Amino acid sequence: MRWSQTYIPTLRENQSDAELVSHQLLLRGGYIRKLASGIYLYLPLMQRVIEKFSKIVREEMNAAGGLEITMSVLCPAEVWQKTGRYNTVGKELMKMKDRHDHEMILCGTHEETVTNLIAGEVKSYRQLPLNLYQIQVKFRDEIRPRFGLMRGREFIMKDAYSFDATVESQKESYQKMVDAYFRIFERAGLEVLKVESDSGAMGGSTAHEFMLLVDTNGGEETILHCPSCRYAANEEKAVFKDLNKPEIDSEMKENEVVETPNAASIEEVTEFLKVDATRLVKTLIYMADDKPVAALVRGDRSVNETKLKNAVNAIELESATPAQVEQFTKAPVGFAGPVGLKDLTIVVDPLVAEMKNFVVGANADEKHIINVNFERDFKADKVVDITTAINGDGCHNCDGTMEAKSGIEVGNTFMLGTKYSEALNAKYLDDNGKEHPIIMGSYGIGITRTPQAALEKYFDDHGIIWPVGIAPYLVEIIPLNLDKENIAAASEIIYNDLNEAGFDVLIDDRPERAGVKFNDADLIGMPIRITIGEKSLNDNKIEVKLRSSDEVIKVDVDKIVEHVREVVQTLK
RNA sequence: CGGGGCGUGGCGCAGCCCGGUAGCGCGCUUGCUUCGGGAGUAAGAGGUCGCUGGUUCAAAUCCAGUCGCCCCGACCA
């Protein structure tokens, strides 16, 4: 492609509203433009990146037995009403009416649509297993879109759905997708970590996320992982062993209400009572589907709201307002405690259950109770892990210590069980003629988010450094001065030869000065740069430089195709 | 939805407090010079100052409303 014939509107200055490097680079490099909040247009270079990545995804999905289809973006609301998600997904589900006043939704995912399709068609175990996938635009009306393509409202996703007759078979289908995912990301030049995750509103049991670990501030999620046994989970899900166990008294002491003026926060109470935070218990009040819950964790720890939500089987969980806290505890925020609490579900973390003689709020202004003991002074409705794991916690699997890393989710896999097939009546007959719901799985890869996520890793001060697998072009040719006949002629020959050899080539044929071309080339980030200028051309040579290195290699003009072929092998 | 901020040529911004001819840098067009890391010079094009209403002799500027956008939080891939 000739630069003059395509459209690459690079910008010299950063747009003010781009926060992440990756977002800035896509804007500046002329890859994307914004139409509205969270809605982007993909310009020619981005289009090529999307195509490159999609091609890899297609090839690997097909190799894993997936069948590509395309489903509609719209879906009648009643299908979503049948599975209950019409209400549970909440406001991010875009709802609308057509001219006949029929309620419709814009799909943010397609479990309902695909299950509805299968329900009418697949009737026998002989037709299973089946894996259908599509690469499609999705719409989720995010509360707050940000970070460019990383959290847009409209985005492209590859979503696959597996259908199996047995649990065994479903596990195989799941593993096939997991294996395919590793191949896909590897081909795209991305090293990903598979982590355990919470299945959330998707339903089902097992779920994993594929995370790209980044060092920039682009990470959207914290991951805990154990280097010795390879256990990895996101913060929502991660379980741990406490390595910071405080000493536990042997005897229970008499509890006692003490005055704690102006001491509401953990810091203030530890300061005032001169005790370590590990001798305190935090009591946090939440509303779980409008029912009050008291969550107790050790003073030095935080509540993991996902774990808590699962513990109380809630669809919605939010922290109580100060007014609600007062209503349930009869005390202002900061003085809640479990002793004497009524009408609340009390959830106690195991770390709290094993403590003795600890400090809690007294449910009275400026008062705490010391030497409180679980079971003796209050009971729990549930004792279950509701603490957030942090960097340095012990691995629950082995003796290792877990590290916290920042990552971006680029793919996910869910075992869905029969939630959708039962709701939408997708059933098959087994070899005994007995009817069963089909067992499902769902598998997503962010087609537009992944390349941007990659850029959080692959860039330098000058711009993008694409991995070969998803670069819009492999080679960019820079003829330094097209007015010189020998340069123009050599450029044409090289451009044609590389094209004919099957490489994706971009030639910067603009009448720009060298500096502009070099800077733009660094900005848009093609892996290989070929410079054609007088100096070298006089010796019948041209210069080859990798975007990822500073080294310039002079190559004979007639050996260039061969050279590029060799160099590509060494590139990731 | 809560808190903070911003809408002025394509992009980045100043002007607004204190009303009176709309300005700067980059980009764009044309000429000449220059030509291996974002050139110099000269001449130009391009703006209903987000929108609506009000105050005023006069509004980018003051007032009210409204729409859009960004940041922090809850939410989420």
Side-chain angles (χ1 to χ4, degrees):
Chain A
M1 176 58 74
R2 295 170 200 277
W3 192 303
S4 63
Q5 302 300 307
T6 180
Y7 182 58
I8 308 176
T10 58
L11 264 18
R12 195 175 281 204
E13 292 165 272
N14 269 327
Q15 297 217 185
S16 60
D17 55 8
E19 207 61 9
L20 299 185
V21 248
S22 55
H23 186 194
Q24 282 171 4
L25 290 171
L26 287 178
L27 249 11
R28 274 224 298 142
Y31 282 81
I32 59 171
R33 287 294 184 261
K34 186 175 71 177
L35 204 222
S37 180
I39 300 179
Y40 288 85
L41 314 181
Y42 312 126
L43 305 190
L45 285 183
M46 191 65 208
Q47 186 62 30
R48 289 188 66 94
V49 172
I50 290 169
E51 278 164 14
K52 286 268 173 103
F53 188 47
S54 300
K55 182 164 183 277
I56 293 173
V57 171
R58 281 201 174 91
E59 286 173 5
E60 295 299 339
M61 289 304 295
N62 293 343
L67 301 168
E68 186 170 6
I69 62 174
T70 298
M71 290 183 271
S72 56
V73 184
L74 287 168
C75 182
E78 58 167 304
V79 184
W80 278 61
Q81 279 156 353
K82 283 183 190 164
T83 60
R85 282 163 114 199
Y86 189 75
N87 297 317
T88 57
V89 169
K91 294 208 180 88
E92 79 189 49
L93 181 63
M94 185 92 165
K95 300 168 180 174
M96 63 191 72
K97 283 183 180 172
D98 67 15
R99 66 198 299 166
H100 303 294
D101 240 22
H102 291 159
E103 302 221 29
M104 308 291 282
I105 62 126
L106 266 185
C107 291
T109 174
H110 282 78
E111 280 80 11
E112 277 78 0
T113 309
V114 77
T115 310
N116 187 65
L117 166 74
I118 288 305
E121 310 282 337
V122 175
K123 289 284 148 206
S124 160
Y125 73 97
R126 292 171 198 274
Q127 293 168 286
L128 300 174
L130 187 62
N131 182 313
L132 300 176
Y133 77 95
Q134 66 173 345
I135 292 178
Q136 244 270 35
V137 169
K138 300 268 186 281
F139 192 92
R140 294 182 190 172
D141 199 2
E142 293 289 343
I143 288 175
R144 180 145 93 87
R146 59 187 124 171
F147 304 151
L149 306 183
M150 228 129 84
R151 190 168 314 165
R153 293 195 289 174
E154 186 178 300
F155 54 97
I156 302 174
M157 190 165 138
K158 185 283 307 180
D159 47 324
Y161 304 91
S162 66
F163 304 90
D164 288 277
T166 66
V167 172
E168 277 314 299
S169 161
Q170 136 77 180
K171 279 186 183 158
E172 280 173 36
S173 297
Y174 191 86
Q175 190 57 41
K176 267 190 198 167
M177 286 294 105
V178 168
D179 294 342
Y181 274 29
F182 278 117
R183 285 194 298 272
I184 287 167
F185 292 118
E186 201 203 319
R187 285 180 63 184
L190 306 174
E191 199 185 320
V192 294
L193 190 65
K194 181 184 118 187
V195 310
E196 292 178 17
S197 66
D198 185 76
S199 52
M202 293 295 280
S205 47
T206 304
H208 291 95
E209 287 175 349
F210 289 75
M211 309 290 302
L212 183 67
L213 300 183
V214 296
D215 305 317
T216 58
N217 61 353
E220 48 163 14
E221 215 170 279
T222 302
I223 293 155
L224 280 301
H225 100 279
C226 171
S228 37
C229 75
R230 324 253 332 138
Y231 169 75
N234 66 15
E235 196 177 46
E236 289 187 338
K237 176 83 177 181
V239 289
F240 65 98
K241 273 196 303 226
D242 180 35
L243 299 181
N244 186 28
K245 283 211 191 301
E247 270 189 42
I248 294 174
D249 297 351
S250 49
E251 303 278 310
M252 290 191 202
K253 297 180 190 161
E254 277 306 300
N255 69 36
E256 188 186 337
V257 175
V258 295
E259 299 280 336
T260 50
N262 298 320
S265 71
I266 291 291
E267 292 73 37
E268 288 159 355
V269 176
T270 53
E271 176 72 14
F272 185 83
L273 293 174
K274 304 275 183 274
V275 293
D276 198 77
T278 55
R279 308 274 312 201
L280 264 50
V281 167
K282 272 187 220 177
T283 304
L284 295 156
I285 312 297
Y286 286 89
M287 299 303 293
D289 299 333
D290 302 325
K291 280 181 301 208
V293 172
L296 274 68
V297 294
R298 206 171 66 198
D300 60 325
R301 292 300 199 137
S302 319
V303 171
N304 180 322
E305 296 186 4
T306 303
K307 287 181 182 177
L308 179 61
K309 191 165 157 182
N310 290 335
V312 298
N313 264 319
I315 295 167
E316 293 285 340
L317 180 84
E318 48 187 28
S319 41
T321 62
Q324 287 170 323
V325 171
E326 285 212 48
Q327 179 195 338
F328 294 115
T329 69
K330 315 282 184 268
V333 173
F335 300 95
V339 181
L341 265 194
K342 284 192 200 102
D343 308 324
L344 280 82
T345 306
I346 298 180
V347 182
V348 171
D349 188 88
L351 294 185
V352 170
E354 67 188 21
M355 292 166 72
K356 281 211 174 79
N357 302 326
F358 48 86
V359 179
V360 300
N363 297 326
D365 196 9
E366 315 227 304
K367 288 188 176 66
H368 279 76
I369 311 179
I370 59 170
N371 296 328
V372 170
N373 287 282
F374 177 52
E375 298 290 7
R376 184 190 70 181
D377 301 324
F378 68 96
K379 308 262 189 254
D381 293 285
K382 250 183 193 159
V383 177
V384 56
D385 173 25
I386 51 168
T387 297
T388 304
I390 54 173
N391 190 40
D393 272 337
C395 174
H396 80 298
N397 241 358
C398 72
D399 290 332
T401 303
M402 298 197 292
E403 292 169 10
K405 296 262 169 89
S406 170
I408 300 170
E409 181 180 350
V410 288
N412 54 37
T413 52
F414 293 95
M415 284 192 189
L416 299 175
T418 55
K419 170 175 171 172
Y420 299 93
S421 49
E422 284 185 61
L424 294 164
N425 208 24
K427 299 191 174 149
Y428 70 95
L429 294 177
D430 67 15
D431 53 2
N432 295 315
K434 246 188 101 187
E435 199 177 61
H436 304 279
I438 298 173
I439 301 169
M440 291 177 55
S442 120
Y443 317 91
I445 288 182
I447 298 291
T448 40
R449 116 182 306 227
T450 301
Q452 187 182 331
L455 296 191
E456 283 295 314
K457 237 180 145 54
Y458 297 114
F459 70 95
D460 63 15
D461 290 347
H462 301 284
I464 295 169
I465 307 172
W466 283 114
V468 170
I470 52 175
Y473 295 94
L474 175 68
V475 183
E476 177 173 342
I477 300 172
I478 300 185
L480 287 182
N481 186 346
L482 282 166
D483 291 338
K484 299 266 196 277
E485 259 177 49
N486 57 338
I487 292 179
S491 301
E492 272 310 297
I493 291 167
I494 290 162
Y495 175 65
N496 288 328
D497 286 355
L498 285 171
N499 265 323
E500 273 166 36
F503 297 114
D504 291 323
V505 189
L506 175 68
I507 182 167
D508 190 348
D509 59 344
R510 295 174 300 172
E512 290 288 351
R513 299 165 61 83
V516 173
K517 293 188 182 188
F518 285 136
N519 279 301
D520 271 347
D522 287 345
L523 211 210
I524 66 174
M526 304 314 147
I528 301 173
R529 188 183 85 190
I530 295 178
T531 308
I532 304 173
E534 279 221 291
K535 278 194 224 159
S536 303
L537 201 56
N538 289 338
D539 303 329
N540 208 34
K541 288 188 188 292
I542 56 177
E543 294 157 29
V544 179
K545 179 185 166 301
L546 300 184
R547 179 62 182 86
S548 54
S549 130
D550 287 331
E551 195 187 355
V552 174
I553 298 172
K554 299 200 175 189
V555 180
D556 287 338
V557 172
D558 52 3
K559 298 242 173 69
I560 187 62
V561 171
E562 204 177 313
H563 183 78
V564 167
R565 206 169 269 142
E566 279 167 26
V567 166
V568 175
Q569 299 306 316
T570 69
L571 286 171
K572 270 280 152 200

